[in-house]
Amino acid sequence: MQASPDTRITILDRSIPLYAAKGYSGVSMRDIARAVSISPAALYHHFPNKQALYLAAMERAFADKALTITATVRSEGTALQRLENFIERFTRLMADDPDFRMLLQRELLDGDQQRLRLLVDRVFAEPFTAVSELALELAPDCDPHLMTISLAGLVLFHFEAAPLRQFLPGMRAEHDQPEVIARHIARLMTRALESR
Amino acid sequence: MQASPDTRITILDRSIPLYAAKGYSGVSMRDIARAVSISPAALYHHFPNKQALYLAAMERAFADKALTITATVRSEGTALQRLENFIERFTRLMADDPDFRMLLQRELLDGDQQRLRLLVDRVFAEPFTAVSELALELAPDCDPHLMTISLAGLVLFHFEAAPLRQFLPGMRAEHDQPEVIARHIARLMTRALESR
DNA sequence: GTCTATAGCCTGATAGAC
DNA sequence: GTCTATCAGGCTATAGAC
């Protein structure tokens, strides 16, 4: 740690939305320097090169993002109730932090082994395990790994596809609201999983 | 059209995998020229600038991609059978053409209005409508637009998340096989939608 | 239709003053 | 810790010969 870590943190916080919007190769050191109102050279006092700055920005963007998700899945209540709570929380996380969501999408496309492992360790390992256990409880005859991936995709893709949806038939403004999305998914999953 | 459109088409076919792997700003005109074994200057005989080359590559990568999907959804059989056939076809499309899938993911992040509309017109308008009609038939009480988005995300995310899955608990090699993914999704949706 | 050469700008990164 | 100045190289795009 430095004597004044403020600048370092400011650099990270200003570069996160830039990288989310335009990706690693779409954002130059000059772009970041401009956003922080310092000279490009000053960035190299805080980070050895562009890659290290980017990696530090990812670490910060991803840190502890999923704590509430894990807690929600492991809280009290019936399995179905916990599933619904998870869907609602995860949907709201995606809606409330579009930078996080877009960085995730970009890392799935461009992340190397090191960064993907960071993503798992920092964000997804715990909630993934928790949801897998919940899935096993709800549908013992289904593969919990596949089921957890399905649940995540079900939520994430509604946001991922948002830019396309405006051109697709049947689109309505309320389809952008996280509550509407969560309710739709919860109903779908409830139908699939409730005891019959 | 030119007297010899071969070079133009070669340029597009070689640039598609490059753009899929590294994105618009990650691929230079020099990269493309190298892949086609011509000089960078020669590219400008076939396309006025980099943007136009990229747009033409997208048009080619997306052309008629979903014809078989639409036909599958509108073929004969019970609604549930057509749903299962759609899931299987769409899963195989994603598995067989990773360039198309990654370009789609990139366009969802970076596409401007013009390119997103192209994507809808060239690829998704027809199958989306067909699947929406099928969804309305299977679940009249659900919003067909939301349901179609859900179905697409359910399939797509299994491939999107593949680079991350290797680090997630419960992963098995067979989870990469399109047949396994399709069967999992089909069972999930059948449970949710079959008359009860 | 393709080449070589190059203009003009942007890139990541460094040197050295303060 | 930040600055100005700068380097070496990559970038898109063009000029003009063949």
Side-chain angles (χ1 to χ4, degrees):
Chain A
M1 283 294 150
Q2 309 263 346
S4 72
D6 286 13
T7 307
R8 185 189 148 94
I9 289 176
T10 304
I11 292 168
L12 296 179
D13 285 342
R14 301 269 171 96
S15 62
I16 284 170
L18 289 179
Y19 282 130
K22 317 195 82 186
Y24 179 77
S25 56
V27 177
S28 69
M29 297 297 270
R30 283 167 163 83
D31 291 334
I32 295 169
R34 203 176 306 123
V36 190
S37 300
I38 60 173
S39 72
L43 293 174
Y44 289 88
H45 174 77
H46 301 275
F47 306 94
N49 52 46
K50 184 183 174 181
Q51 269 218 2
L53 193 163
Y54 178 75
L55 188 60
M58 292 306 100
E59 291 204 41
R60 184 164 173 83
F62 294 150
D64 302 330
K65 265 295 160 192
L67 280 187
T68 62
I69 303 282
T70 311
T72 299
V73 178
R74 296 216 165 112
S75 67
E76 302 202 351
T78 68
L80 259 182
Q81 275 169 342
R82 283 180 288 142
L83 177 69
E84 285 184 33
N85 291 341
F86 159 71
I87 290 167
E88 201 227 314
R89 282 273 177 168
F90 188 45
T91 305
R92 208 158 54 202
L93 175 66
M94 291 299 157
D96 289 349
D97 197 341
D99 286 343
F100 169 69
R101 174 183 57 79
M102 289 195 285
L103 288 173
L104 167 60
Q105 287 179 242
R106 293 194 185 279
E107 285 301 292
L108 290 178
L109 279 165
D110 299 322
D112 58 25
Q113 299 284 93
Q114 180 194 6
R115 296 195 325 247
L116 289 170
R117 179 167 275 292
L118 178 84
L119 200 54
V120 168
D121 291 347
R122 287 295 181 92
V123 188
F124 293 115
E126 280 205 43
F128 191 94
T129 304
V131 173
S132 292
E133 288 164 6
L134 180 57
L136 196 61
E137 199 174 330
L138 279 161
D141 55 333
C142 281
D143 186 312
H145 181 93
L146 287 179
M147 193 66 105
T148 307
I149 298 278
S150 287
L151 270 167
L154 215 38
V155 173
L156 180 56
F157 191 68
H158 281 268
F159 296 93
E160 204 173 329
L164 210 67
R165 280 213 359 256
Q166 57 182 317
F167 302 122
L168 287 169
M171 186 267 188
R172 277 186 291 166
E174 72 217 51
H175 292 151
D176 280 325
Q177 294 172 20
E179 303 83 8
V180 174
I181 295 169
R183 203 180 318 129
H184 160 79
I185 296 171
R187 191 154 75 157
L188 194 62
M189 293 310 296
T190 301
R191 286 198 192 190
L193 297 179
E194 72 189 347
S195 57
R196 37 182 63 238
Chain B
M1 282 294 152
Q2 308 263 344
S4 72
D6 286 15
T7 307
R8 185 189 150 94
I9 288 176
T10 304
I11 291 168
L12 297 178
D13 286 342
R14 301 269 172 94
S15 62
I16 284 170
L18 289 179
Y19 282 131
K22 318 195 85 190
Y24 178 79
S25 58
V27 177
S28 68
M29 295 298 269
R30 283 168 159 83
D31 291 333
I32 294 168
R34 203 176 304 123
V36 189
S37 300
I38 58 174
S39 73
L43 294 175
Y44 290 87
H45 174 78
H46 301 275
F47 305 95
N49 53 47
K50 182 182 175 181
Q51 269 217 3
L53 194 162
Y54 178 74
L55 189 60
M58 292 307 99
E59 291 204 41
R60 185 167 173 81
F62 293 152
D64 302 330
K65 264 296 162 196
L67 281 186
T68 62
I69 303 283
T70 311
T72 300
V73 178
R74 296 216 164 111
S75 67
E76 302 203 352
T78 70
L80 259 181
Q81 275 169 343
R82 282 179 289 142
L83 177 69
E84 285 185 35
N85 291 342
F86 159 71
I87 290 167
E88 202 228 312
R89 281 273 177 167
F90 188 45
T91 305
R92 207 158 54 201
L93 174 66
M94 292 298 158
D96 289 349
D97 197 342
D99 286 343
F100 169 69
R101 174 183 58 80
M102 289 197 284
L103 288 173
L104 167 61
Q105 287 179 240
R106 293 195 186 279
E107 284 301 293
L108 289 177
L109 280 165
D110 297 323
D112 58 24
Q113 298 285 92
Q114 180 195 5
R115 284 173 1 223
L116 289 170
R117 179 167 274 290
L118 180 83
L119 201 53
V120 168
D121 291 347
R122 287 296 182 91
V123 188
F124 292 116
E126 279 207 42
F128 191 92
T129 303
V131 173
S132 291
E133 288 165 6
L134 180 58
L136 195 62
E137 198 175 331
L138 279 161
D141 54 330
C142 280
D143 185 313
H145 180 94
L146 286 179
M147 194 64 105
T148 307
I149 298 278
S150 287
L151 272 167
L154 214 39
V155 173
L156 180 55
F157 191 68
H158 281 268
F159 296 93
E160 206 172 327
L164 209 68
R165 282 217 353 260
Q166 59 183 315
F167 302 122
L168 287 170
M171 187 272 187
R172 277 186 290 166
E174 72 218 48
H175 291 153
D176 279 327
Q177 294 172 20
E179 302 82 10
V180 174
I181 295 170
R183 203 180 317 129
H184 159 79
I185 296 171
R187 190 153 76 157
L188 195 62
M189 292 311 296
T190 300
R191 286 198 191 190
L193 295 179
E194 72 189 349
S195 57
R196 38 180 62 241

